[in-house]
Amino acid sequence: MPQAKKRTFSGVVGGLLGLVGLSAVAGVLVTATVTPAIAVGGYAASSAISVFENMPSYLQIDKLMLPTEIYAENEDGDDELMAEFYDQNRIPVTWDEVNPLVYDAVLSSEDKNFYSHGGVDLLGTLSALAENLTSSGQRGASSITQQYVKNVRVQNCEREAVSQEEVEACFNEASATDGSAGLERKAQEMRYAIQIEKQSTKNEILLGYLNIASFGGDVYGIGAAAEYYFGVSANDLTLSQAAALAGIVKAPNFYRIDLPNSETNGEANGYAETLDRRNYVLYRMYTDGKISEAEYTEAREAPIEPKITPRAQGCSMASGAEYFCDYVRTVIENDEAFGETAEERTATLRRGGLKVYTTLDPDLQSTASEAMEIVPSSVDYMELGSSAIQVEVGTGRVLSMVQNTEYTAGETDDPNKSAINFNVRQANNGGIGWSAGSTYKTFSLVNWLEQGKSANAVVNGRIGTKQVKTCGDDVQEVPTDNTGQAGHVGNFEQSPGYVGTVKRFTADSLNSGFLAMAEQITVCSTNEVAMKMGVTRGDGTPLDDNNEPYNVLGSSNVAPIDMAAAYAAIAANGILCEPKAIDRVTDSDGNELPAPETTCERVMTEAVASTSAWVLESVMDGTGVGAKTYDGTPIFGKTGIHEYEHTWMDGASTEVASVVWVGNVEGRVKLNGQYENGWQLSRIRNAIWPEIQRAANAKYGGEAFPGPDDDLTRQQYSNLPNVIGRSVDDARTILTNAGFTVVVGSEVDSGQAEGTIAAQDPGAGRVIAGSTVTIRPSNGDGVTVPSVGGSPQDAESALRDAGFTNIGMQCNDVGGGNDDEGDNEGEEGERPDEEAADTPDQVTGTSPGAGESVNRNDRVTIQYDSTSC
């Protein structure tokens, strides 16, 4: 708006003549409009009436340009203002919320006849012109209704403006004073004013004016002006303050009192220009009988003492949730629910007066903020970043969003601050994402299962050259070893790998195992699965435009919010819900408006989802054991480290998914050599993830996952070799190469050479592939019990010859001739007894039995039948 100008004699005379001429014409026009029955003669008058009547009479009074307010639920369950955005700092007030002194001050200085004229005060205009010409008077020459019309027209224009130049053009057009354009503008203003007077009450017009009027800078309306300039509500303004604000509306940017260093109207001269204008307003109130002489004198003697109280705006208001607030802001600026063009959406954010209710959970946000404190906001050896995000399973509602840096809205050199939201995509003011590391292996798992392969399938995951399928029939060799050479892939802790199941590969996060899987499923199909599950690169580009073998291990940069949604889809039994930060939107009056549309759709079968969850549960007893919650709520997860430059923990219960990332914002500093707050940076994820997931479990609960699909966990059988007689090393190699897990048990007594395998369990034959085989070496002290017979004496001799010295005897009585039935009684009476007495003792066996291997010092008992035990 232009500054107030000093009047010259010629300027005053010119203005007077112009306004007198306009007023004379308007007098005829108004008379004709208000009292058309009165005859008005003359060609000029008739022409003027015709032109006037052809002007538009209806002025659309749009809603005030109001701040957009963003709300989040507080700990008491009530909606609490998180942040607001505005071009115009405006606090609308009702009639009773304004001190009546304000109405008196404005009317006395601007339109003393307001309640008696019909919208255009011809006598008041001429009186004001005369006073301004003959004295230092500063009375306005337009009625309050006309000024209201002007402000409405300016605001209706500004609402559509998309640049500061267009905003200024709106004001200039509505304020034109020169030539015919100025006269036409004034006439149109009068036409609208007369019509508004017919549609609205005087109080409605006066209040409307006070709510829309500019008070300098970005301050609009009496409510915001009272708060900004004096730190009080409009109802608590003093007489002196009310008069000062009534004076400011004359030329807002000239009389504003928030520029203490101004040479013409600043603190040093007591805000002289505004003081003069305020005293004029007080004088008009006094002469109009609105205040007493004593009140006038006291108020006039009071200095102008502003108490500038800026009204915060932007996400810096959202203490503890600034980055979530910023994400909501970008949603509003990007989603067509808020306007077809970027300019329209920005205008809606800053002028639309929306009330936006978000998904943020205050309890989870608080816990996440506290957990994130373990990671410093900056360190001197790297640009350290960390983030955590939680989404609700089955809805996609974002429940918490934090990071280690302090929020700032713009660029900064302070290493503790960042305007970049580490959790989201670049389109939402995020970065380009972070290398996902082994958390990306989940998509290989899902792809494997979607192709009908079993989680219990046995694959050769030993290190060596892998023939990785990239796309179609294309194959690329990938050397897997632990040499650390460029382009070579190693395993964690130098593991040589093994032949094992896909489930075990996942629990151990075995790189060579997943590259072996990629010999059967293509890299591009795995990337396509990830995209189907809502994941792109952080910059929004598709993952499948680069299908290098290393993509399988998570070399692509992705946004944590996408990973959270993907893991939530598995927890939701295959339903992917787009991340959602806004629950509902209303206008300033509480009327519901369209909110951004987010969808939930099935992206995998229930069988694949439930089996994936089952496999990922095993991770929590593998590489994810450090992130276990130990609260009884079933969870699954996947760890990830990319070249020790980034570390992740992704996982979920059946209700909430959580994702934590720590790494290099820029640069490639290794995390495993750095410690903060007692944690190695490559493991510090385990100080954060369990805390935030436990909080989610405590509030949202969690059920058992459905369990795996039978077909996708079908067992695979293979032949188990016989390793009896082999050395332990040879036996282990043979069994491992065959895909079995080997456990070496305690030594056994055996006749085998010491150190060779004397027993294996299960025994050789057809068994479940990948089974655990226990092998037990011989101690060399074992002797095989020989088969013996004949007399006890012969058996004892045979055992001693075999090396046994601890020999016992067990006689089994088989006596003979005196049973009651007399079955053995012969023709010669006592003959059977005599024959029994002559029968020799007969060995029937030993304990341990023949063929068993026992220690040579063990007792061997000879068992024999005898008639004379």
Side-chain angles (χ1 to χ4, degrees):
M1 292 184 182
Q3 300 287 306
K5 297 179 180 178
K6 296 295 184 181
R7 296 186 303 279
T8 64
F9 179 78
S10 59
V12 171
V13 172
L16 174 62
L17 293 175
L19 280 174
V20 167
L22 177 60
S23 298
V25 173
V28 176
L29 300 177
V30 171
T31 301
T33 304
V34 178
T35 56
I38 299 176
V40 181
Y43 173 76
S46 298
S47 297
I49 292 171
S50 177
V51 171
F52 192 74
E53 288 182 338
N54 287 329
M55 285 182 170
S57 62
Y58 175 72
L59 176 62
Q60 174 67 41
I61 303 176
D62 293 332
K63 285 182 177 293
L64 292 171
M65 289 168 59
L66 296 173
T68 285
E69 299 172 341
I70 299 177
Y71 289 87
E73 186 179 274
N74 62 24
E75 294 179 355
D76 296 325
D78 300 321
D79 292 319
E80 186 173 279
L81 181 66
M82 173 190 294
E84 57 185 351
F85 297 84
Y86 59 80
D87 281 342
Q88 296 183 357
N89 173 13
R90 177 181 280 111
I91 303 174
V93 291
T94 63
W95 183 266
D96 293 334
E97 291 174 335
V98 180
N99 190 327
L101 289 171
V102 174
Y103 300 128
D104 292 340
V106 169
L107 294 178
S108 290
S109 58
E110 296 293 325
D111 190 358
K112 62 179 293 185
N113 299 320
F114 175 69
Y115 281 100
S116 60
H117 64 63
V120 178
D121 184 11
L122 300 179
L123 294 178
T125 298
L126 293 174
S127 176
L129 288 170
E131 179 181 316
N132 294 348
L133 178 63
T134 59
S135 69
S136 59
Q138 303 171 29
R139 290 178 59 189
S142 294
S143 70
I144 289 293
T145 312
Q146 287 173 265
Q147 293 182 54
Y148 179 46
V149 166
K150 175 183 174 181
N151 278 280
V152 168
R153 296 181 72 187
V154 169
Q155 182 154 150
N156 288 354
C157 178
E158 286 181 346
R159 185 181 296 278
E160 307 301 322
V162 296
S163 67
Q164 185 58 35
E165 290 74 16
E166 291 186 15
V167 170
E168 292 175 359
C170 289
F171 177 80
N172 292 334
E173 181 180 345
S175 305
T177 57
D178 297 333
S180 59
L183 293 175
E184 182 179 349
R185 191 234 356 135
K186 202 69 175 180
Q188 179 65 78
E189 207 172 81
M190 291 177 177
R191 181 77 164 112
Y192 283 139
I194 292 168
Q195 187 62 31
I196 285 176
E197 290 272 353
K198 297 177 181 179
Q199 299 170 203
S200 305
T201 67
K202 287 290 188 177
N203 286 1
E204 288 172 343
I205 294 170
L206 179 55
L207 182 64
Y209 169 69
L210 286 172
N211 273 323
I212 200 172
S214 169
F215 284 82
D218 62 5
V219 180
Y220 287 77
I222 189 65
E227 294 278 0
Y228 177 69
Y229 287 117
F230 297 111
V232 299
S233 69
N235 203 30
D236 292 328
L237 289 166
T238 66
L239 172 58
S240 175
Q241 293 168 343
L245 294 181
I248 287 176
V249 294
K250 175 70 175 178
N253 284 329
F254 180 74
Y255 290 119
R256 61 192 291 185
I257 52 175
D258 61 345
L259 303 174
N261 297 323
S262 171
E263 294 182 1
T264 58
N265 192 45
E267 186 176 17
N269 64 11
Y271 301 95
E273 296 287 354
T274 307
L275 182 67
D276 182 51
R277 176 66 183 170
R278 183 207 66 180
N279 290 342
Y280 167 77
V281 174
L282 289 170
Y283 175 74
R284 293 302 311 172
M285 294 176 73
Y286 169 59
T287 58
D288 287 346
K290 301 296 177 63
I291 57 176
S292 68
E293 182 175 358
E295 291 173 320
Y296 167 65
T297 301
E298 181 183 359
R300 183 181 175 88
E301 292 176 355
I304 289 182
E305 296 177 322
K307 182 182 178 182
I308 302 303
T309 308
R311 181 181 182 182
Q313 69 162 314
C315 287
S316 294
M317 296 175 61
S319 179
E322 295 91 340
Y323 289 101
F324 174 78
C325 168
D326 193 66
Y327 175 58
V328 174
R329 175 190 64 81
T330 64
V331 171
I332 294 173
E333 291 184 335
N334 290 334
D335 197 288
E336 291 188 3
F338 300 99
E340 293 184 0
T341 67
E343 292 79 10
E344 289 176 353
R345 295 189 289 271
T346 298
T348 297
L349 173 67
R350 306 191 66 83
R351 309 170 191 166
L354 303 181
K355 294 183 183 295
V356 179
Y357 298 91
T358 66
T359 60
L360 193 70
D361 183 299
D363 298 320
L364 268 58
Q365 182 71 15
S366 177
T367 299
S369 295
E370 292 177 7
M372 187 55 66
E373 291 177 1
I374 196 76
V375 182
S377 56
S378 69
V379 293
D380 58 9
Y381 51 84
M382 66 179 291
E383 191 171 348
L384 176 63
S386 180
S387 67
I389 185 170
Q390 294 176 283
V391 301
E392 187 175 38
V393 172
T395 67
R397 298 174 73 248
V398 178
L399 302 176
S400 76
M401 181 183 290
V402 298
Q403 64 188 59
N404 66 314
T405 56
E406 300 172 30
Y407 174 79
T408 181
E411 294 184 3
T412 178
D413 293 328
D414 187 340
N416 298 294
K417 298 181 178 181
S418 177
I420 302 301
N421 187 336
F422 299 155
N423 275 301
V424 300
R425 295 184 187 177
Q426 195 171 48
N428 296 110
N429 203 32
I432 61 171
W434 323 108
S435 297
S438 293
T439 60
Y440 200 82
K441 290 173 181 173
T442 293
F443 304 119
S444 287
L445 169 65
V446 172
N447 188 19
W448 181 270
L449 298 174
E450 284 194 335
Q451 296 192 29
K453 300 179 183 294
S454 172
N456 285 318
V458 176
V459 181
N460 182 2
R462 296 193 304 274
I463 59 175
T465 300
K466 304 299 181 183
Q467 305 294 324
V468 175
K469 291 183 176 181
T470 52
C471 266
D473 295 327
D474 294 340
V475 175
Q476 186 171 333
E477 288 189 353
V478 178
T480 61
D481 51 41
N482 295 312
T483 62
Q485 299 179 59
H488 291 223
V489 175
N491 288 320
F492 180 63
E493 294 183 341
Q494 308 293 301
S495 169
Y498 48 81
V499 176
T501 66
V502 167
K503 181 185 180 185
R504 185 181 171 195
F505 290 167
T506 306
D508 293 343
S509 199
L510 189 70
N511 288 340
S512 56
F514 275 83
L515 288 170
M517 291 164 62
E519 292 182 311
Q520 300 184 45
I521 57 173
T522 64
V523 176
C524 63
S525 64
T526 294
N527 286 337
E528 288 165 359
V529 165
M531 291 191 297
K532 181 178 67 173
M533 293 175 67
V535 181
T536 69
R537 288 191 179 85
D539 62 5
T541 57
L543 292 164
D544 63 349
D545 63 0
N546 182 353
N547 295 296
E548 293 293 326
Y550 308 101
N551 287 174
V552 171
L553 307 180
S555 60
S556 295
N557 290 355
V558 299
I561 193 171
D562 286 351
M563 297 299 281
Y567 277 72
I570 295 174
N573 223 17
I575 303 296
L576 172 68
C577 293
E578 295 177 87
K580 173 182 179 180
I582 297 174
D583 276 333
R584 63 189 184 94
V585 180
T586 72
D587 63 17
S588 57
D589 296 325
N591 300 309
E592 295 287 335
L593 297 175
E597 292 185 5
T598 55
T599 60
C600 291
E601 61 179 343
R602 178 166 295 284
V603 293
M604 69 188 83
T605 65
E606 292 185 8
V608 169
S610 62
T611 306
S612 297
W614 174 73
V615 172
L616 292 172
E617 281 185 283
S618 69
V619 172
M620 304 313 295
D621 290 316
T623 59
V625 68
K628 292 184 76 169
T629 55
Y630 297 103
D631 59 0
T633 302
I635 56 173
F636 67 67
K638 184 69 189 76
T639 57
I641 295 178
H642 179 74
E643 297 184 1
Y644 284 103
E645 296 163 9
H646 301 275
T647 182
W648 295 69
M649 179 63 203
D650 302 359
S653 68
T654 57
E655 305 301 324
V656 176
S658 304
V659 167
V660 170
W661 162 81
V662 182
N664 288 266
V665 178
E666 296 286 347
R668 305 192 64 178
V669 175
K670 301 300 182 183
L671 302 180
N672 56 329
Q674 309 295 340
Y675 288 79
E676 294 294 337
N677 294 314
W679 287 84
Q680 185 172 224
L681 288 184
S682 60
R683 299 295 184 190
I684 204 168
R685 68 196 183 198
N686 293 335
I688 305 169
W689 196 90
E691 292 296 324
I692 66 175
Q693 189 63 46
R694 261 194 298 270
N697 295 345
K699 185 165 186 177
Y700 290 83
E703 305 297 327
F705 293 100
D709 177 75
D710 289 343
D711 185 56
L712 294 179
T713 53
R714 62 189 180 276
Q715 299 290 349
Q716 178 179 325
Y717 288 84
S718 62
N719 290 318
L720 174 63
N722 186 345
V723 292
I724 299 297
R726 299 277 188 174
S727 69
V728 172
D729 289 342
D730 285 350
R732 181 186 287 112
T733 299
I734 291 169
L735 294 174
T736 300
N737 288 345
F740 294 95
T741 299
V742 178
V743 173
V744 179
S746 60
E747 292 182 338
V748 296
D749 295 328
S750 171
Q752 295 282 350
E754 182 179 2
T756 61
I757 302 304
Q760 72 176 67
D761 181 28
R766 194 79 172 160
V767 298
I768 295 173
S771 298
T772 296
V773 180
T774 300
I775 56 176
R776 305 182 71 180
S778 168
N779 59 10
D781 291 331
V783 178
T784 301
V785 178
S787 176
V788 296
S791 69
Q793 293 77 15
D794 294 339
E796 181 179 1
S797 178
L799 289 174
R800 293 188 183 279
D801 290 343
F804 293 99
T805 59
N806 187 0
I807 301 171
M809 297 289 181
Q810 179 181 335
C811 178
N812 300 315
D813 191 353
V814 292
N818 295 318
D819 62 41
D820 293 335
E821 298 299 325
D823 290 340
N824 295 321
E825 186 175 334
E827 293 179 356
E828 299 182 6
E830 297 299 322
R831 182 64 180 171
D833 289 338
E834 293 176 4
E835 291 180 354
D838 294 336
T839 301
D841 296 342
Q842 183 67 42
V843 172
T844 60
T846 61
S847 177
E852 292 189 47
S853 181
V854 298
N855 190 284
R856 67 181 68 254
N857 296 316
D858 286 350
R859 184 178 182 83
V860 178
T861 300
I862 299 171
Q863 299 167 334
Y864 66 95
D865 292 340
S866 175
T867 60
S868 58
C869 288

